Amino acid sequence: MRTGFVIAAPGQPLPELRAEVLRDEVRGVGPLVATGRGLRAVAEAGLERAFVCAVDMPYLNSELIGVLAAAADRVPADIVLPWDGRAHYLAGIYRSALTEQIAVRCRAQHARAGRVRRYAADRDATAASADQRQHGSRSALSAAIR
């Protein structure tokens, strides 16, 4: 019987798990997309909340998860996180209803990243054009640097 969801990178080897494995579709964009994917699966399973955590948390234990779950039952919060002077966003109880808010934020980040990539590409093209005018070609510039 499956007891939860695990989000893994494409092709990432995993041991046998008592969880449904979902593959993160986008590499290198941080944990928000994967969190949204997991919470969507939780919502589709008819669950209101999920414990979300990163895999590299050596001090995480079931007692902490229990404390967070109990707090989530008591307070009307969308996210309940451990606190030791700072919030730990990759170990908390999240409402599955956050999926749309996460999707909106991910789309905005993707659009912003596209603008940054276009700016960088335009800047590189402008710099290459200036280099070619000054040195005749990229290879001439490379030779001048050596």
Side-chain angles (χ1 to χ4, degrees):
M1 179 180 144
R2 302 291 182 194
T3 60
F5 300 95
V6 171
I7 309 296
Q12 178 183 9
L14 295 172
E16 184 64 32
L17 300 170
R18 292 183 309 169
E20 182 176 340
V21 176
L22 305 171
R23 295 294 173 174
D24 193 359
E25 298 158 351
V26 184
R27 289 180 179 264
V29 294
L32 190 58
V33 173
T35 299
R37 179 148 165 71
L39 289 177
R40 184 168 311 281
V42 167
E44 289 170 357
L47 302 170
E48 185 180 324
R49 291 188 293 244
F51 176 71
V52 174
C53 71
V55 297
D56 57 350
M57 304 188 83
Y59 301 114
L60 182 66
N61 59 45
S62 59
E63 182 181 343
L64 174 63
I65 297 168
V67 168
L68 293 172
D73 286 339
R74 287 191 316 272
V75 297
D78 288 333
I79 304 171
V80 176
L81 303 172
W83 177 263
D84 65 356
R86 66 186 180 105
H88 295 274
Y89 290 94
L90 295 179
I93 305 291
Y94 286 71
R95 283 200 189 280
S96 60
L98 290 170
T99 56
E100 188 53 37
Q101 289 174 322
I102 291 172
V104 167
R105 182 159 206 137
C106 288
R107 284 191 294 271
Q109 285 178 340
H110 180 71
R112 191 169 39 257
R115 288 191 300 275
V116 169
R117 280 192 298 273
R118 281 193 302 279
Y119 168 77
D122 290 347
R123 190 186 63 208
D124 290 347
T126 301
S129 177
D131 289 345
Q132 287 176 348
R133 284 193 305 275
Q134 184 175 3
H135 298 284
S137 72
R138 278 278 203 204
S139 59
L141 178 60
S142 296
I145 292 173
R146 288 187 211 145

